[in-house]
Amino acid sequence: MMVIRPVCRADLPGLMQLAKKTGGGLTSLPQDEKTLAARIERSIETWQGERPQAQQGYVFVLEDTTDGAIAGISAIEVAVGLEEPWYNYRVGSLVHASRQLDIYNPLATLSLSNDHTGATELCSLFLDPDYRMHKNGQLLSKSRFLFMAGFPEVFSPRVVAEMRGVIDDAGNSPFWDSVGSHFFSMDFSRADFLSGTGHKAFIAELMPKHPLYIHYLSEDARAVIGEVHVKTAPARGLLEAEGFRYQNYVDIFDGGPTLECELAAIRAVKQSRVMTTATGIPDDHHPLCLVAGMDYLRFRAVLLPVDPQAGTVLIPPDCAARLQIAAGDPVRVVSLSPQGTCL
């Protein structure tokens, strides 16, 4: 059985193994044990109410309960940019015109932006390639929305997600080569590592403060602005199915898109409902749904078939134990697919 749960200290070795499989470019999951251990502690302290809003972040893991393996990670940063600036580029335009010469030239630009300060960020989504089956990716990504639906007061009304941009198998980024390398004088992997391990002061110190003309970038760099890594395309599709959209903001390192949506407008938040549980074996012919417990400190989520007419969720005894719920307890439920009818 695959279960989503809060991260714990014992998960550190499993997260290190996951980090080695990312292929780079996932700044929030660096191959650095000290950074990951600190992130686990911050997540635990967030759940325990020991962190101010500016430092709060929730980390979830996907556990294979057959052997305890950590198959994936996903996370939520409560409010970005409140302690240190949160940068991206806004893709816009500047117009160069002369009425006398009858010339009008709108030119696309990249402008350094902090427009998402205070927004809630979805981040750190990564699923072990060996587990990319049986809708595990959807469970890992979308279960966060049930947590946010259950506790909306914790989060910002605006939710964003930075998507990994185009990087080749050798870890090279065409966007970085044409933009960042000229200002940072280091390769992409080092800048990516420094950012992922919390050393971000250099960004403010070295980034250009004036708009950059996209026309001056290399053809390869222009082609990847707002595009995602091939392995990130499924994650982008999942978010877009939930209502997230690209609004012309991109990552300053690799040019990957930032998607955004209002919390209340996210499909899984808007359509989720509270149901009660009963012990039993669900019928596999019913629609597959995300089912999550409603205990803040012991949040758990799984995938189960749910009868949309029954009004209750049948949960096998072993699954109930994994969810840490009992018969008659409330759970939050939503269809896995936007086309599904769970409720």
Side-chain angles (χ1 to χ4, degrees):
M1 178 182 295
M2 306 303 295
V3 176
I4 294 288
R5 61 167 175 78
V7 73
C8 66
R9 295 181 183 93
D11 295 328
L12 180 58
L15 294 185
M16 283 297 297
Q17 290 300 314
L18 280 182
K20 293 175 182 178
K21 298 181 179 183
T22 64
L26 191 61
T27 56
S28 53
L29 187 60
Q31 296 180 40
D32 184 81
E33 186 170 321
K34 182 179 179 180
T35 300
L36 291 178
R39 190 149 190 233
I40 290 172
E41 289 299 321
R42 182 163 67 91
S43 179
I44 292 171
E45 291 168 4
T46 296
W47 253 292
Q48 294 174 345
E50 299 173 357
R51 290 272 183 161
Q53 183 188 42
Q55 299 175 7
Q56 290 174 6
Y58 298 91
V59 178
F60 306 87
V61 294
L62 178 63
E63 179 185 353
D64 183 347
T65 61
T66 59
D67 58 6
I70 303 303
I73 180 176
S74 62
I76 309 170
E77 289 294 321
V78 171
V80 298
L82 297 184
E83 281 200 338
E84 57 184 18
W86 201 76
Y87 295 102
N88 51 27
Y89 278 130
R90 183 177 63 251
V91 181
S93 63
L94 288 175
V95 175
H96 294 255
S98 170
R99 179 176 296 179
Q100 180 179 3
L101 299 177
D102 193 25
I103 294 174
Y104 181 90
N105 289 323
L107 298 176
T109 59
L110 297 171
S111 301
L112 202 61
S113 164
N114 305 122
D115 289 351
H116 292 131
T117 297
T120 291
E121 182 196 12
L122 303 176
C123 58
S124 305
L125 181 68
F126 184 74
L127 179 62
D128 189 315
D130 294 337
Y131 285 88
R132 291 176 184 173
M133 62 186 84
H134 307 315
K135 303 188 184 300
N136 288 331
Q138 295 189 56
L139 171 61
L140 183 61
S141 176
K142 296 187 179 186
S143 58
R144 292 176 292 186
F145 300 139
L146 289 188
F147 184 74
M148 298 169 81
F151 311 100
E153 68 280 358
V154 174
F155 303 102
S156 167
R158 188 183 193 187
V159 184
V160 300
E162 282 191 330
M163 311 304 291
R164 181 161 55 152
V166 176
I167 305 167
D168 66 21
D169 293 339
N172 299 311
S173 162
F175 185 82
W176 174 264
D177 291 342
S178 191
V179 182
S181 64
H182 298 295
F183 299 97
F184 290 87
S185 299
M186 65 181 75
D187 60 26
F188 173 79
S189 60
R190 175 160 174 75
D192 185 55
F193 177 80
L194 288 172
S195 178
T197 53
H199 301 86
K200 297 184 178 181
F202 73 99
I203 297 175
E205 294 168 350
L206 299 177
M207 285 301 295
K209 304 302 187 293
H210 301 289
L212 304 176
Y213 287 99
I214 292 177
H215 179 77
Y216 289 132
L217 306 186
S218 71
E219 183 177 346
D220 287 344
R222 296 198 301 270
V224 301
I225 293 174
E227 298 298 321
V228 296
H229 190 283
V230 62
K231 294 181 179 178
T232 305
R236 179 175 188 169
L238 291 178
L239 290 179
E240 289 178 335
E242 294 293 327
F244 283 77
R245 295 293 180 264
Y246 169 56
Q247 302 288 357
N248 294 319
Y249 291 89
V250 300
D251 183 76
I252 62 173
F253 287 171
D254 59 26
T258 296
L259 307 184
E260 54 187 283
C261 187
E262 292 298 307
L263 175 58
I266 297 172
R267 195 275 312 183
V269 173
K270 184 168 55 177
Q271 296 183 7
S272 67
R273 298 292 184 271
V274 176
M275 302 176 70
T276 56
T277 61
T279 302
I281 305 301
D283 188 334
D284 289 340
H285 293 93
H286 292 145
L288 197 60
C289 293
L290 290 159
V291 179
M294 297 182 63
D295 187 319
Y296 173 77
L297 294 176
R298 298 185 300 173
F299 179 81
R300 301 288 190 277
V302 296
L303 289 176
L304 286 174
V306 175
D307 182 355
Q309 307 301 324
T312 58
V313 181
L314 291 179
I315 300 185
D318 61 332
C319 182
R322 296 293 182 185
L323 285 173
Q324 300 188 24
I325 59 175
D329 284 350
V331 289
R332 186 169 290 274
V333 183
V334 71
S335 62
L336 184 64
S337 166
Q339 291 75 41
T341 305
C342 229
L343 307 164

